[in-house]
Amino acid sequence: MAALLCAAGAQAQTVLKIGYATSPTSHYGVGSTVFCEEMEKGTQGRYKCQQFPNSALGGEREQIEAVQLGTQDLVNTSTGPLGNFVPEVKIVDIPFLFRDYDHARKVMDGPIGEDLRKKMEAKGLINLAWTENGFRHMTNSKRAIVQASDAGGLKMRTMENKVHMDGYKTFGILPTPMPFPELFTALQQGTVDGQENPIPVILSSKFSQVQKHLSLTGHVYSPAALILSPAVWNKLSAADKQVFLEAGKKAAAAQRKKVNDDEDNGIAQLEKEGMQVVKQVNGESFRKAVAPAYQQYAKEFGADKIAAIQAVK
């Protein structure tokens, strides 16, 4: 909750609590730090941040709820659990919906992303910017995954996200929803065989210590959102709102750049840490496997809406 600090003779300063799931040096940490610096600078120090990395304020779902309720000011979160609050956002979680980063970013920064932001606002979540988590890849402790059938029977931790789970079941995976803070220990103890996350998360969470195999499946693009509590937003002047939105844009650019850098350098780093990486995955086998789930997605979201995303150039 925003705390008001008053120094004698100085103007009031509001400290905003911002939380995220990964380390301060991760893509979430980089984006959050840029937001905080720009916001503080733009408001001449009237607003500043206190950062809570490494799920210190709870899992992503709990943090989104806290922001909605006004007991936490900001969260930089993947969209995975966001669909529990704003069902329309689930459409971006469909496997193999996005071709590449360029396509995904154009969708999120264009009219489709803007429409989803408005849907979030109607549910009491102010999305300052679409940040980024990245394309998700599979890791596990059992075997290399080259084609969809190789994933069959693996107990894989997933987010609490029905769209992901429905898609992953078509690969023969046994989806096991679990909050992110519990994941490292579950992998260590063999409660689950594997997990799926973007390279920046695999790196910053040190999953190479508990997972032998990494397959560059790129099966889902995972956007992220920098969400502000309406309790804070509604108190801001028009000028300060603009500062917060501009700071959000700069945060998104920094976070995406970090994702790019981690994708470029992180795979070699993970190999150095002992992971066996399958770089040439049979993507066609995964697309073919997931086709039945697309019939369900078309019913849930509308074939026209899915086609509109796919058509963005």
Side-chain angles (χ1 to χ4, degrees), residues 97-230:
L97 181 64
F98 295 99
R99 294 184 296 277
D100 50 31
Y101 279 109
D102 182 56
H103 176 216
R105 291 165 182 175
K106 277 182 179 152
V107 169
M108 301 317 292
D109 293 343
I112 292 167
E114 191 50 43
D115 182 56
L116 292 175
R117 282 178 66 189
K118 285 182 182 144
K119 299 270 195 311
M120 288 173 65
E121 192 167 349
K123 295 285 169 71
L125 296 164
I126 307 297
N127 183 357
L128 297 175
W130 291 112
T131 53
E132 187 167 79
N133 198 18
F135 275 93
R136 304 178 79 85
H137 305 289
M138 295 181 192
T139 73
N140 79 95
S141 57
K142 301 281 189 196
R143 55 181 174 269
I145 297 172
V146 181
Q147 55 199 15
S149 57
D150 295 332
L154 288 175
K155 206 170 178 193
M156 193 83 77
R157 176 268 174 181
T158 64
M159 288 193 278
E160 297 164 88
N161 180 309
K162 188 178 178 296
V163 174
H164 282 187
M165 290 163 72
D166 287 347
Y168 301 163
K169 280 175 190 165
T170 67
F171 309 144
I173 283 170
L174 306 172
T176 310
M178 179 186 295
F180 186 76
E182 296 168 22
L183 177 54
F184 189 92
T185 307
L187 292 169
Q188 202 170 33
Q189 293 174 348
T191 312
V192 288
D193 302 316
Q195 61 86 50
E196 43 80 60
N197 257 305
I199 297 297
V201 176
I202 295 168
L203 267 175
S204 63
S205 304
K206 304 197 180 332
F207 288 147
S208 60
Q209 293 176 8
V210 286
Q211 296 277 269
K212 188 178 178 183
H213 300 283
L214 163 63
S215 295
L216 303 182
T217 46
H219 51 279
V220 165
Y221 172 73
S222 182
L226 182 63
I227 306 172
L228 178 70
S229 171

Side-chain angles (χ1 to χ4, degrees), residues 9-305:
Q11 63 185 37
Q13 184 181 69
T14 304
V15 180
L16 303 177
K17 289 195 320 197
I18 180 168
Y20 46 93
T22 52
S23 72
T25 55
S26 70
H27 52 316
Y28 283 111
V30 167
S32 300
T33 299
V34 167
F35 170 78
C36 293
E37 287 169 353
E38 292 295 326
M39 182 262 302
E40 188 174 350
K41 198 163 64 184
T43 60
Q44 290 79 48
R46 283 179 291 108
Y47 286 89
K48 66 177 294 188
C49 290
Q50 185 181 4
Q51 293 192 43
F52 292 84
N54 295 317
S55 305
L57 299 175
E60 288 186 328
R61 187 172 177 159
E62 288 87 352
Q63 291 195 57
I64 295 168
E65 192 168 20
V67 167
Q68 193 180 39
L69 293 170
T71 56
Q72 182 175 326
D73 304 308
L74 289 142
V75 62
N76 195 350
T77 173
S78 75
T79 53
L82 192 54
N84 295 303
F85 301 85
V86 189
E88 295 89 345
V89 172
K90 290 180 188 172
I91 193 168
V92 298
D93 292 315
I94 293 175
F96 296 106
L97 181 64
F98 295 99
R99 294 184 296 277
D100 50 31
Y101 279 109
D102 182 56
H103 176 216
R105 291 165 182 175
K106 277 182 179 152
V107 169
M108 301 317 292
D109 293 343
I112 292 167
E114 191 50 43
D115 182 56
L116 292 175
R117 282 178 66 189
K118 285 182 182 144
K119 299 270 195 311
M120 288 173 65
E121 192 167 349
K123 295 285 169 71
L125 296 164
I126 307 297
N127 183 357
L128 297 175
W130 291 112
T131 53
E132 187 167 79
N133 198 18
F135 275 93
R136 304 178 79 85
H137 305 289
M138 295 181 192
T139 73
N140 79 95
S141 57
K142 301 281 189 196
R143 55 181 174 269
I145 297 172
V146 181
Q147 55 199 15
S149 57
D150 295 332
L154 288 175
K155 206 170 178 193
M156 193 83 77
R157 176 268 174 181
T158 64
M159 288 193 278
E160 297 164 88
N161 180 309
K162 188 178 178 296
V163 174
H164 282 187
M165 290 163 72
D166 287 347
Y168 301 163
K169 280 175 190 165
T170 67
F171 309 144
I173 283 170
L174 306 172
T176 310
M178 179 186 295
F180 186 76
E182 296 168 22
L183 177 54
F184 189 92
T185 307
L187 292 169
Q188 202 170 33
Q189 293 174 348
T191 312
V192 288
D193 302 316
Q195 61 86 50
E196 43 80 60
N197 257 305
I199 297 297
V201 176
I202 295 168
L203 267 175
S204 63
S205 304
K206 304 197 180 332
F207 288 147
S208 60
Q209 293 176 8
V210 286
Q211 296 277 269
K212 188 178 178 183
H213 300 283
L214 163 63
S215 295
L216 303 182
T217 46
H219 51 279
V220 165
Y221 172 73
S222 182
L226 182 63
I227 306 172
L228 178 70
S229 171
V232 178
W233 179 253
N234 295 335
K235 287 181 190 157
L236 296 177
S237 66
D240 282 348
K241 281 179 179 173
Q242 207 44 49
V243 167
F244 274 58
L245 289 167
E246 284 303 315
K249 269 187 202 162
K250 287 183 176 162
Q255 193 156 325
R256 287 172 178 181
K257 182 183 181 303
K258 176 65 172 156
V259 169
N260 287 349
D261 292 347
D262 281 353
E263 287 263 347
D264 290 344
N265 311 315
I267 293 158
Q269 176 62 31
L270 291 166
E271 283 180 313
K272 205 184 289 178
E273 290 169 10
M275 288 191 99
Q276 292 177 10
V277 183
V278 175
K279 292 173 184 156
Q280 297 301 317
V281 171
N282 182 343
E284 199 43 49
S285 71
F286 281 94
R287 285 186 189 88
K288 209 174 271 181
V290 85
Y294 263 75
Q295 293 164 11
Q296 179 56 37
Y297 297 146
K299 273 189 212 153
E300 195 172 338
F301 302 110
D304 55 331
K305 288 197 169 75

